[in-house]
Amino acid sequence: LNFWDVSNAHVCGKGVVIHDSKQNPDTDEGWQHRPDWHGITAHQAHNISVKDITVVVRSRTWMIQLQGCKQILFDKIKVIGGSVANANQDGIDWLGCGDTVVRNCFFRCADDIFAIYGNTGFYDEAVAIPGRDVKNILIETCVLSTSISNIMRVGWPRKVFNSDNVVMRNCDVIHAGQGGCVVPFALAEFWADPDGKGVH
């Protein structure tokens, strides 16, 4: 489900989006920002709402990815990861945007449920380019479960960006990540070392 350079688009109903794409199950490609690469992708989209649908992701990829978006609402959706390769199935990733409400949703992930970054780029020169601020995110009355990572992640090594006014409240965490990825997994993790910068 792509919202690419659009405004005033709304999807609601009882339908199911099944994403089973061509990502390599043995490598980390899920962070790439491109159409048809995630269950829901939004790029420079404004005034978007998604309600009452179910998103099932079978590929090794982030499930919902937002870049440069504003006025986004997810209400009563279910987001379920089903990749046997497990890692890299984030719930929602914000790349230099915000102004999002996530309400009454269910997330079953195999990586970070919510992740905040300033830009794309994770394993190349782009990772250190200063990103845009991420601000004004409200997550409430959701049910959250992940197998191997964080409920909320902010930052990444070498990334440079700021975040502000991110609120998560009245959510039930029914399973949290176990193990670690250089630093231990947590309810909320701030990870910028080495060389990351920002005020959060």
Side-chain angles (χ1 to χ4, degrees), residues 151-168:
I151 305 303
M152 170 71 74
R153 174 194 293 276
V154 179
W156 187 261
R158 298 176 58 207
K159 282 198 171 293
V160 179
F161 74 102
N162 303 314
S163 68
D164 183 54
N165 193 30
V166 177
V167 176
M168 184 169 63

Side-chain angles (χ1 to χ4, degrees), residues 19 23-32 37-38 57-63 80-91 93 108-113 117 123 146-150 153 156 177-178 180-181 185:
H19 180 80
Q23 290 88 356
N24 185 336
D26 300 318
T27 60
D28 183 3
E29 302 175 335
W31 56 270
Q32 297 175 22
W37 206 247
H38 313 280
V57 176
R58 293 176 176 159
S59 305
R60 182 177 174 177
T61 189
W62 295 359
M63 296 195 281
I80 301 167
S83 169
V84 295
N86 58 61
N88 308 118
Q89 284 194 330
D90 290 12
D93 293 87
R108 176 63 182 100
C109 303
D111 212 315
D112 302 309
I113 297 179
Y117 306 113
Y123 301 106
T146 184
S147 55
I148 63 169
S149 204
N150 304 286
R153 174 194 293 276
W156 187 261
Q178 298 184 17
C181 180
F185 297 144

